[in-house]
Structure formats: structure tokens, C-alpha cells
């Protein structure tokens, strides 16, 4: 069976919100979060599997996914 190539997915952090709200990733895909707000944000998994660290305005943080699954995440300084 043919294998699917890894893909890049982009998520923008703006207005204290992640856009899009969800993305589908396969093993090997990379998700990049870009902070467009005037304050620092993170993309941190609830189960501790990944954390972009604090991203200042204009900064980007990427995570490559090596396992299949559902990953719930939040911004640790602004969890609501």
C-alpha cells in the first residue's frame, strides 16, 4: 500500500484563541503554532506530551508527531 507523506499544519494564536480549533495529524506530521497576539502564549498538551514553550509575538513553535492519537492542548498562561 502506498504511504502518505508527512505534512505540515499551521495553527495561529490570535485573540487568545487557536485557529483552526482542531487539526488532524498523522504520524510524522508537524504542527506549527504562530503567536499573533501581543502577549506570550504556549501550546502545551494536557497530558504533558509536548510544549512549545512561551512564544512571544511573531514567534513560532513546532512539534513533530511520532505517535497516532488525540492531543488536547491549551495555553498554560491563559488556560481558559
Amino acid at each position: 500500500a502506498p504511504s502518505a507523506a508527512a505534512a505540515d499544519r499551521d495553527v495561529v494564536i490570535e485573540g487568545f484563541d487557536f485557529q483552526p480549533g482542531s487539526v488532524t495529524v498523522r504520524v510524522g506530521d508537524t504542527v506549527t503554532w504562530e503567536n499573533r497576539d501581543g502577549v506570550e502564549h504556549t501550546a502545551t498538551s494536557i497530558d504533558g506530551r509536548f510544549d512549545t514553550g512561551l512564544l512571544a509575538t511573531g514567534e513560532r513553535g513546532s512539534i513533530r508527531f511520532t505517535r497516532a492519537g488525540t492531543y488536547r492542548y491549551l495555553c498554560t498562561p491563559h488556560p481558559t
Side-chain angles (χ1 to χ4, degrees):
S3 62
D8 294 327
R9 311 281 185 226
D10 294 321
V11 177
V12 172
I13 307 168
E14 190 169 34
F16 291 81
D17 195 21
F18 295 106
Q19 293 299 323
S22 66
V23 293
T24 299
V25 295
R26 298 179 308 255
V27 173
D29 287 357
T30 298
V31 177
T32 299
W33 289 266
E34 179 182 356
N35 181 10
R36 294 187 185 168
D37 270 341
V39 298
E40 293 180 326
H41 291 292
T42 70
T44 306
S45 68
I46 293 172
D47 64 5
R49 290 184 183 193
F50 68 86
D51 183 1
T52 61
L54 284 172
L55 302 173
T57 303
E59 285 189 323
R60 297 166 59 93
S62 298
I63 303 294
R64 181 175 177 269
F65 289 83
T66 59
R67 297 175 67 188
T70 299
Y71 300 89
R72 295 177 43 95
Y73 65 92
L74 51 73
C75 171
T76 52
H78 313 102
T80 58

Coordinates of all heavy atoms in Angstrom, one line a residue:
A1 N 0.9 -1.2 0.0 CA 0.0 0.0 0.0 C 0.9 1.2 0.0 O 1.9 1.3 0.7 CB -0.9 0.0 1.2
P2 N 0.5 2.3 -0.7 CA 1.3 3.5 -0.7 C 1.2 4.2 0.6 O 0.2 4.1 1.3 CB 0.7 4.4 -1.8 CG -0.7 3.8 -2.0 CD -0.6 2.4 -1.6
S3 N 2.3 4.8 1.0 CA 2.3 5.5 2.3 C 2.1 7.0 2.0 O 2.5 7.6 1.0 CB 3.7 5.3 3.0 OG 4.7 5.9 2.2
A4 N 1.5 7.7 3.0 CA 1.2 9.1 2.8 C 2.5 9.9 3.3 O 3.1 9.5 4.3 CB 0.0 9.5 3.7
A5 N 2.8 10.9 2.6 CA 3.9 11.8 3.0 C 3.5 12.6 4.2 O 2.4 13.0 4.4 CB 4.3 12.7 1.8
A6 N 4.5 12.9 5.0 CA 4.3 13.8 6.2 C 3.9 15.2 5.7 O 4.2 15.6 4.6 CB 5.6 13.9 7.0
A7 N 3.1 15.8 6.5 CA 2.6 17.1 6.2 C 2.8 18.2 7.3 O 3.1 17.8 8.4 CB 1.1 17.0 5.9
D8 N 2.8 19.4 6.9 CA 2.9 20.5 7.9 C 1.5 21.1 8.1 O 0.8 21.3 7.1 CB 3.8 21.6 7.4 CG 5.3 21.1 7.3 OD1 5.7 20.3 8.1 OD2 6.0 21.6 6.4
R9 N 1.2 21.4 9.3 CA -0.1 22.0 9.7 C 0.2 23.3 10.4 O 1.1 23.3 11.3 CB -1.0 21.1 10.6 CG -1.1 19.7 10.1 CD -2.1 19.6 9.0 NE -2.3 18.2 8.6 CZ -2.4 17.7 7.4 NH1 -2.3 18.6 6.4 NH2 -2.5 16.5 7.1
D10 N -0.5 24.4 10.2 CA -0.3 25.6 10.8 C -1.5 26.0 11.7 O -2.6 25.8 11.2 CB 0.0 26.7 9.8 CG 1.3 26.5 9.1 OD1 2.3 26.1 9.7 OD2 1.3 26.8 7.8
V11 N -1.2 26.5 12.9 CA -2.2 27.0 13.8 C -1.8 28.4 14.2 O -0.7 28.6 14.6 CB -2.4 26.1 15.0 CG1 -3.4 26.7 16.0 CG2 -2.8 24.7 14.6
V12 N -2.7 29.3 14.1 CA -2.4 30.7 14.5 C -3.0 30.9 15.9 O -4.2 30.5 16.2 CB -3.1 31.7 13.5 CG1 -3.0 33.1 14.0 CG2 -2.4 31.6 12.2
I13 N -2.3 31.6 16.8 CA -2.8 32.0 18.1 C -3.1 33.5 18.0 O -2.1 34.3 17.8 CB -1.8 31.7 19.2 CG1 -1.3 30.3 19.2 CG2 -2.3 32.1 20.6 CD1 -0.1 30.0 20.1
E14 N -4.3 33.9 18.1 CA -4.7 35.2 17.9 C -6.0 35.5 18.6 O -6.9 34.6 18.6 CB -4.9 35.6 16.4 CG -5.1 37.0 16.1 CD -4.9 37.3 14.6 OE1 -5.3 36.4 13.8 OE2 -4.4 38.4 14.3
G15 N -6.1 36.6 19.3 CA -7.3 36.9 20.1 C -7.5 35.9 21.2 O -8.7 35.5 21.5
F16 N -6.4 35.4 21.8 CA -6.5 34.4 22.8 C -7.2 33.1 22.4 O -7.9 32.5 23.2 CB -7.1 34.9 24.1 CG -6.2 36.0 24.8 CD1 -6.2 37.3 24.3 CD2 -5.4 35.6 25.8 CE1 -5.4 38.2 24.9 CE2 -4.6 36.6 26.4 CZ -4.6 37.9 26.0
D17 N -7.0 32.7 21.1 CA -7.7 31.6 20.6 C -6.8 30.9 19.6 O -5.9 31.5 19.0 CB -9.0 32.1 19.8 CG -10.0 31.0 19.5 OD1 -9.9 29.9 20.2 OD2 -10.8 31.1 18.6
F18 N -7.0 29.6 19.4 CA -6.2 28.8 18.4 C -7.1 28.7 17.2 O -8.3 28.3 17.3 CB -5.9 27.4 19.0 CG -5.0 27.4 20.2 CD1 -5.5 27.1 21.4 CD2 -3.6 27.6 20.0 CE1 -4.7 27.1 22.5 CE2 -2.8 27.5 21.1 CZ -3.3 27.3 22.4
Q19 N -6.5 29.0 16.0 CA -7.3 28.9 14.8 C -6.4 28.1 13.7 O -5.3 28.5 13.5 CB -7.6 30.3 14.2 CG -8.6 31.0 15.1 CD -9.9 30.3 15.2 OE1 -10.4 29.7 14.2 NE2 -10.5 30.3 16.4
P20 N -6.9 27.0 13.2 CA -8.2 26.4 13.5 C -8.2 25.8 14.8 O -7.1 25.5 15.5 CB -8.3 25.3 12.4 CG -6.9 25.0 12.0 CD -6.1 26.2 12.2
G21 N -9.4 25.5 15.3 CA -9.6 24.9 16.6 C -9.1 23.5 16.8 O -8.8 23.0 17.9
S22 N -9.0 22.8 15.6 CA -8.5 21.4 15.7 C -7.9 21.1 14.3 O -8.3 21.7 13.3 CB -9.6 20.4 16.0 OG -10.6 20.4 14.9
V23 N -6.9 20.2 14.3 CA -6.3 19.8 13.1 C -6.1 18.3 13.2 O -6.0 17.7 14.3 CB -4.9 20.4 12.8 CG1 -5.0 21.9 12.5 CG2 -3.9 20.2 13.9
T24 N -6.1 17.6 12.1 CA -5.9 16.2 12.1 C -4.4 15.9 11.6 O -4.0 16.5 10.6 CB -6.8 15.5 11.0 OG1 -8.2 15.7 11.5 CG2 -6.6 14.0 11.0
V25 N -3.7 15.1 12.4 CA -2.3 14.8 12.1 C -2.1 13.3 12.0 O -2.8 12.6 12.7 CB -1.4 15.4 13.2 CG1 -1.4 17.0 13.2 CG2 -1.7 14.9 14.6
R26 N -1.2 13.0 11.2 CA -0.8 11.6 11.1 C 0.6 11.5 11.7 O 1.3 12.5 11.9 CB -0.7 11.2 9.6 CG -2.1 11.2 8.9 CD -1.9 10.8 7.5 NE -0.9 11.6 6.8 CZ -1.1 12.6 5.9 NH1 -2.3 13.0 5.6 NH2 -0.1 13.2 5.4
V27 N 1.1 10.3 11.9 CA 2.5 10.1 12.4 C 3.4 10.7 11.4 O 3.3 10.5 10.2 CB 2.8 8.5 12.5 CG1 4.2 8.3 12.8 CG2 1.9 7.9 13.6
G28 N 4.3 11.5 11.9 CA 5.3 12.2 11.1 C 4.9 13.6 10.7 O 5.8 14.4 10.2
D29 N 3.7 14.0 10.9 CA 3.2 15.4 10.6 C 3.8 16.4 11.6 O 4.1 16.0 12.8 CB 1.7 15.5 10.6 CG 1.0 14.9 9.5 OD1 1.7 14.4 8.6 OD2 -0.2 14.9 9.5
T30 N 4.0 17.6 11.2 CA 4.5 18.7 12.1 C 3.4 19.7 12.2 O 2.9 20.2 11.1 CB 5.8 19.3 11.5 OG1 6.8 18.3 11.5 CG2 6.3 20.4 12.4
V31 N 3.1 20.2 13.4 CA 2.2 21.3 13.6 C 3.0 22.5 14.1 O 3.9 22.3 15.0 CB 1.1 20.9 14.6 CG1 0.2 22.1 14.9 CG2 0.3 19.7 14.1
T32 N 2.8 23.6 13.5 CA 3.5 24.8 13.9 C 2.5 25.8 14.4 O 1.5 26.1 13.6 CB 4.3 25.4 12.7 OG1 5.3 24.5 12.3 CG2 5.0 26.7 13.1
W33 N 2.7 26.3 15.6 CA 1.8 27.4 16.1 C 2.5 28.7 16.0 O 3.7 28.8 16.3 CB 1.6 27.1 17.6 CG 0.7 26.0 17.9 CD1 -0.7 26.0 18.1 CD2 1.0 24.6 18.0 NE1 -1.2 24.7 18.3 CE2 -0.1 23.8 18.3 CE3 2.3 23.9 17.9 CZ2 -0.1 22.5 18.4 CZ3 2.3 22.5 18.1 CH2 1.1 21.8 18.3
E34 N 1.8 29.7 15.5 CA 2.4 31.1 15.4 C 1.6 32.0 16.3 O 0.4 32.1 16.2 CB 2.3 31.6 14.0 CG 2.9 33.0 13.8 CD 2.8 33.5 12.4 OE1 2.4 32.8 11.5 OE2 3.2 34.7 12.2
N35 N 2.3 32.8 17.2 CA 1.6 33.7 18.1 C 1.5 35.1 17.4 O 2.5 35.7 17.1 CB 2.4 33.9 19.4 CG 1.7 34.8 20.3 OD1 0.6 35.2 20.1 ND2 2.4 35.1 21.4
R36 N 0.3 35.5 17.2 CA 0.0 36.8 16.6 C -0.6 37.8 17.6 O -1.1 38.8 17.2 CB -0.9 36.7 15.4 CG -0.3 35.9 14.2 CD -1.1 36.0 13.0 NE -0.5 35.2 11.9 CZ -1.2 34.8 10.8 NH1 -2.4 35.2 10.6 NH2 -0.6 34.1 9.9
D37 N -0.6 37.4 18.9 CA -1.1 38.2 19.9 C 0.0 39.1 20.5 O 1.2 38.8 20.3 CB -1.8 37.4 21.1 CG -3.2 37.2 20.8 OD1 -3.9 37.9 20.1 OD2 -3.8 36.2 21.5
G38 N -0.4 40.1 21.3 CA 0.6 41.0 21.9 C 1.2 40.5 23.2 O 1.9 41.2 23.9
V39 N 0.8 39.2 23.6 CA 1.3 38.6 24.8 C 1.8 37.2 24.5 O 1.5 36.7 23.5 CB 0.2 38.5 25.9 CG1 -0.3 39.9 26.3 CG2 -1.0 37.7 25.5
E40 N 2.6 36.7 25.4 CA 3.2 35.4 25.2 C 2.1 34.3 25.4 O 1.2 34.4 26.3 CB 4.3 35.1 26.2 CG 5.5 36.0 25.9 CD 6.7 35.7 26.9 OE1 6.4 35.4 28.1 OE2 7.8 35.8 26.4
H41 N 2.2 33.2 24.6 CA 1.3 32.1 24.7 C 2.2 30.8 24.5 O 3.3 30.8 24.1 CB 0.3 32.1 23.5 CG -0.7 33.2 23.6 ND1 -1.7 33.2 24.6 CD2 -1.0 34.2 22.9 CE1 -2.5 34.3 24.4 NE2 -2.0 34.9 23.4
T42 N 1.6 29.7 24.9 CA 2.1 28.4 24.6 C 1.1 27.5 23.9 O -0.1 27.8 24.0 CB 2.6 27.6 25.9 OG1 1.4 27.2 26.6 CG2 3.4 28.5 26.8
A43 N 1.6 26.4 23.4 CA 0.7 25.3 23.0 C 1.2 24.1 23.8 O 2.3 23.6 23.5 CB 0.7 25.0 21.5
T44 N 0.5 23.7 24.8 CA 1.0 22.7 25.8 C 0.0 21.6 25.9 O -1.2 21.9 26.2 CB 1.2 23.3 27.2 OG1 2.1 24.5 27.0 CG2 1.8 22.4 28.1
S45 N 0.4 20.4 25.7 CA -0.6 19.3 25.8 C -1.0 19.1 27.2 O -0.2 19.2 28.1 CB 0.0 18.0 25.2 OG 1.1 17.5 26.0
I46 N -2.2 18.7 27.4 CA -2.8 18.5 28.7 C -2.1 17.3 29.4 O -1.9 17.3 30.6 CB -4.3 18.3 28.6 CG1 -4.9 19.7 28.2 CG2 -4.9 17.9 30.0 CD1 -6.4 19.6 27.9
D47 N -1.7 16.3 28.6 CA -1.1 15.1 29.2 C 0.5 15.2 29.3 O 1.1 14.3 29.6 CB -1.5 13.9 28.4 CG -1.0 13.9 27.0 OD1 -0.2 14.8 26.6 OD2 -1.3 12.9 26.3
G48 N 1.0 16.4 29.0 CA 2.5 16.6 29.1 C 3.3 16.0 28.0 O 4.5 16.0 28.1
R49 N 2.7 15.6 26.9 CA 3.5 15.0 25.8 C 4.3 16.1 25.0 O 5.3 15.8 24.4 CB 2.6 14.3 24.8 CG 2.1 13.0 25.4 CD 1.3 12.2 24.4 NE 0.7 11.0 25.0 CZ 0.2 10.1 24.4 NH1 0.1 10.1 23.0 NH2 -0.4 9.0 25.0
F50 N 3.8 17.3 24.9 CA 4.5 18.4 24.2 C 4.3 19.7 24.8 O 3.3 20.0 25.5 CB 4.2 18.3 22.7 CG 2.8 18.7 22.3 CD1 2.5 20.1 22.2 CD2 1.8 17.8 22.2 CE1 1.2 20.5 21.8 CE2 0.5 18.2 21.8 CZ 0.2 19.5 21.7
D51 N 5.2 20.7 24.5 CA 5.1 22.0 25.0 C 5.9 22.9 24.0 O 7.1 22.6 23.9 CB 5.5 22.2 26.4 CG 5.4 23.6 27.0 OD1 4.9 24.5 26.3 OD2 5.7 23.7 28.1
T52 N 5.4 23.9 23.4 CA 6.2 24.8 22.6 C 7.0 25.7 23.4 O 7.9 26.4 22.8 CB 5.2 25.7 21.7 OG1 4.4 26.5 22.5 CG2 4.4 24.8 20.7
G53 N 6.8 25.8 24.7 CA 7.4 26.9 25.5 C 6.7 28.2 25.2 O 5.9 28.3 24.3
L54 N 7.1 29.2 25.9 CA 6.5 30.6 25.7 C 6.9 31.1 24.3 O 8.0 31.1 23.9 CB 6.9 31.5 26.7 CG 6.3 31.4 28.1 CD1 7.0 32.3 29.1 CD2 4.8 31.6 28.0
L55 N 5.9 31.5 23.6 CA 6.0 32.1 22.2 C 5.7 33.6 22.3 O 4.5 34.0 22.6 CB 5.2 31.4 21.2 CG 5.3 29.9 21.0 CD1 4.3 29.4 20.1 CD2 6.7 29.6 20.5
A56 N 6.7 34.5 22.1 CA 6.4 35.9 22.0 C 5.7 36.3 20.8 O 5.6 35.4 19.8 CB 7.7 36.7 22.2
T57 N 5.2 37.5 20.6 CA 4.6 38.0 19.4 C 5.4 37.7 18.2 O 6.6 38.0 18.2 CB 4.3 39.5 19.5 OG1 3.5 39.7 20.7 CG2 3.5 40.0 18.3
G58 N 4.9 37.0 17.2 CA 5.6 36.7 16.0 C 6.4 35.5 16.0 O 6.9 35.0 15.0
E59 N 6.6 34.8 17.2 CA 7.3 33.6 17.2 C 6.5 32.4 16.9 O 5.3 32.4 17.0 CB 7.9 33.4 18.7 CG 9.1 34.3 19.0 CD 9.7 33.9 20.3 OE1 9.0 33.5 21.2 OE2 11.0 34.0 20.3
R60 N 7.2 31.4 16.4 CA 6.6 30.1 16.0 C 7.2 29.0 16.8 O 8.4 29.0 17.1 CB 6.8 29.9 14.5 CG 6.1 31.0 13.7 CD 6.6 30.9 12.2 NE 6.3 29.7 11.5 CZ 5.3 29.4 10.8 NH1 4.3 30.3 10.7 NH2 5.1 28.3 10.2
G61 N 6.4 28.0 17.1 CA 6.9 26.8 17.7 C 6.3 25.6 17.0 O 5.1 25.5 16.7
S62 N 7.2 24.5 16.8 CA 6.7 23.4 16.0 C 6.9 22.1 16.8 O 7.9 22.0 17.6 CB 7.5 23.3 14.7 OG 7.3 24.4 13.9
I63 N 6.0 21.2 16.6 CA 6.0 19.8 17.2 C 5.8 18.8 16.1 O 4.9 18.9 15.3 CB 4.9 19.7 18.3 CG1 5.1 20.7 19.4 CG2 5.0 18.2 18.9 CD1 6.3 20.7 20.2
R64 N 6.7 17.8 16.0 CA 6.5 16.7 15.1 C 5.9 15.6 15.8 O 6.4 15.2 16.9 CB 7.9 16.3 14.5 CG 7.8 15.2 13.5 CD 9.1 14.9 12.9 NE 9.0 13.7 12.0 CZ 9.1 12.5 12.3 NH1 9.5 12.1 13.5 NH2 9.0 11.5 11.4
F65 N 4.8 15.0 15.3 CA 4.1 14.0 16.0 C 4.6 12.6 15.5 O 4.6 12.3 14.3 CB 2.6 14.1 15.8 CG 2.0 15.3 16.5 CD1 2.1 16.6 16.0 CD2 1.5 15.2 17.8 CE1 1.7 17.7 16.7 CE2 1.1 16.3 18.5 CZ 1.1 17.5 17.9
T66 N 5.0 11.8 16.5 CA 5.6 10.5 16.2 C 4.6 9.3 16.6 O 5.0 8.2 16.4 CB 6.9 10.3 16.9 OG1 6.7 10.4 18.3 CG2 7.9 11.3 16.4
R67 N 3.5 9.7 17.2 CA 2.5 8.7 17.6 C 1.1 9.1 17.2 O 0.8 10.3 17.3 CB 2.6 8.5 19.1 CG 3.9 8.0 19.6 CD 4.0 7.9 21.1 NE 3.0 6.9 21.6 CZ 2.8 6.8 22.9 NH1 3.3 7.6 23.8 NH2 1.9 5.8 23.3
A68 N 0.3 8.2 16.8 CA -1.1 8.4 16.5 C -1.8 8.7 17.8 O -1.5 8.2 18.8 CB -1.7 7.2 15.8
G69 N -2.9 9.5 17.7 CA -3.7 9.8 18.9 C -4.4 11.1 18.8 O -4.2 11.9 17.9
T70 N -5.1 11.4 19.9 CA -5.7 12.7 20.0 C -5.0 13.5 21.1 O -4.7 12.9 22.2 CB -7.2 12.5 20.5 OG1 -7.9 11.7 19.5 CG2 -7.9 13.8 20.7
Y71 N -4.6 14.7 20.8 CA -3.8 15.5 21.6 C -4.6 16.8 22.0 O -4.8 17.6 21.2 CB -2.5 15.9 21.0 CG -1.6 14.7 20.6 CD1 -1.8 14.1 19.3 CD2 -0.7 14.2 21.5 CE1 -1.0 13.0 19.0 CE2 0.1 13.2 21.1 CZ 0.0 12.6 19.9 OH 0.8 11.5 19.5
R72 N -5.0 16.8 23.2 CA -5.7 18.0 23.7 C -4.6 19.0 24.3 O -3.7 18.5 24.9 CB -6.7 17.7 24.8 CG -7.9 16.8 24.2 CD -8.8 16.4 25.3 NE -9.2 17.5 26.2 CZ -10.2 18.3 26.2 NH1 -11.1 18.1 25.2 NH2 -10.4 19.2 27.1
Y73 N -4.7 20.3 24.0 CA -3.7 21.2 24.5 C -4.4 22.5 24.8 O -5.5 22.8 24.5 CB -2.6 21.4 23.4 CG -3.1 22.0 22.1 CD1 -3.0 23.4 21.9 CD2 -3.6 21.2 21.1 CE1 -3.4 24.0 20.7 CE2 -4.0 21.8 19.9 CZ -3.9 23.2 19.7 OH -4.3 23.7 18.5
L74 N -3.6 23.4 25.5 CA -4.0 24.7 25.9 C -2.8 25.6 26.0 O -1.7 25.2 25.8 CB -4.7 24.6 27.3 CG -4.0 23.9 28.4 CD1 -2.9 24.6 29.0 CD2 -5.0 23.5 29.5
C75 N -3.1 26.8 26.3 CA -2.1 27.8 26.6 C -1.9 27.9 28.1 O -2.9 28.2 28.8 CB -2.5 29.2 26.1 SG -1.4 30.5 26.6
T76 N -0.7 27.5 28.6 CA -0.6 27.5 30.1 C -0.8 28.8 30.8 O -1.4 28.9 31.8 CB 0.8 26.8 30.5 OG1 1.9 27.5 29.8 CG2 0.8 25.4 30.2
P77 N -0.3 30.0 30.2 CA -0.6 31.2 30.9 C -2.1 31.7 30.9 O -2.5 32.4 31.7 CB 0.3 32.3 30.2 CG 1.3 31.5 29.5 CD 0.7 30.2 29.2
H78 N -2.8 31.1 29.9 CA -4.2 31.5 29.6 C -5.0 30.3 29.4 O -5.5 30.1 28.3 CB -4.3 32.5 28.5 CG -3.3 33.6 28.5 ND1 -2.1 33.6 27.7 CD2 -3.2 34.7 29.2 CE1 -1.4 34.7 28.0 NE2 -2.0 35.3 28.9
P79 N -5.2 29.4 30.4 CA -5.8 28.1 30.1 C -7.3 28.2 29.8 O -7.9 27.2 29.4 CB -5.6 27.4 31.4 CG -5.4 28.4 32.5 CD -4.8 29.6 31.8
T80 N -8.0 29.3 30.0 CA -9.4 29.4 29.7 C -9.6 30.0 28.3 O -10.6 30.2 27.8 CB -10.2 30.2 30.7 OG1 -9.6 31.5 30.8 CG2 -10.1 29.4 32.1

